[in-house]
Amino acid sequence: MLISESYAEMVGQAYNRSQREGKRSYPAACFELSLLAHAQAQYRRKEIELLHQLGEQFHWLMPRRQRNGYTQKLMAGATLVLTDATKTILWTSQNFLAMTGYSPKEAIGKTPKILQGPDTDPATLRRMRESLQQANSVKADLLNYRKGGEPYICRLQIDPIYDYDGNLTHFLAIEHEIT
C-alpha cells in the first residue's frame, strides 16, 4: 500500500496542528491505523513465507490446495501451531500470543497440554488423541486456558503432515477462539 506524498503531507500538517493544540486529529489516527494494518499484513506475509520454508525444509508432500488453505487461514488471522510427530511444538504463528498469552518462544519445545486445565473435556482429548494416533485429521471445540488461567473455547482442526516418502512427520493445527 503506497500513500501519496500529498496525503502524507496533509496528515503530517494536521497531526502537527493537533499536537500544538493538545488534541489528536482524526486524519492522523486514520493514518496510524492504516500503517498498523499494513504492518500486520506484511508480518502475515512473512509468516506465510516461513511456513512455506518449513514445508521445503521438511520435504512436506502437501497439495497446493491444502497449502493455499493454510495461507488463507493465516491471512484471515487464524492461529497455526506446528508440532512434530510426538506433538512437541516447533512453531506457532504470532496470533498464538493474542489467543493464549504465551509467546511463541514460550510454547516451542512444549506440548499443547500447557493450554489444558481442570475443565478441559477428557473425552474430547481422548477422541483427538485416537484420531491423531491413526494419522487422521481431527476437528474439535476444546476448552483451553490462557497463560493467566482464563478459560476460552478453541475451535481447532489438526491435520497430519507427510513428507515426500509418505512418512508422518508433523501435525499442523489451525485454531481460533470462539467468542
Side-chain angles (χ1 to χ4, degrees), residues 50-149:
L50 178 60
L51 186 61
H52 289 259
Q53 288 172 0
L54 288 169
E56 290 174 13
Q57 178 183 349
F58 293 116
H59 308 288
W60 289 340
L61 178 63
M62 186 180 295
R64 181 179 299 184
R65 185 178 188 161
Q66 185 179 15
R67 187 175 57 242
N68 290 343
Y70 294 136
T71 297
Q72 290 172 353
K73 295 291 185 179
L74 257 177
M75 288 303 286
T79 298
L80 270 64
V81 178
L82 177 70
T83 68
D84 62 13
T86 67
K87 299 174 195 77
T88 300
I89 297 172
L90 302 176
W91 174 80
T92 71
S93 63
Q94 194 61 37
N95 292 338
F96 190 79
L97 173 63
M99 186 170 71
T100 68
Y102 290 97
S103 72
K105 287 183 180 181
E106 290 175 295
I108 291 172
K110 296 187 173 58
T111 67
K113 288 181 183 180
I114 63 170
L115 303 173
Q116 298 165 10
D119 293 327
T120 303
D121 183 24
T124 302
L125 291 173
R126 186 173 39 260
R127 181 178 63 80
M128 291 172 56
R129 187 172 39 254
E130 290 169 358
S131 289
L132 295 176
Q133 284 173 343
Q134 297 174 9
N136 293 326
S137 292
V138 64
K139 293 180 182 182
D141 290 346
L142 192 64
L143 179 70
N144 277 343
Y145 291 84
R146 299 186 210 289
K147 184 177 179 180

Side-chain angles (χ1 to χ4, degrees), residues 21-32:
E21 296 171 358
K23 300 176 186 173
R24 187 169 185 126
S25 73
Y26 181 72
C30 290
F31 182 63
E32 290 171 358

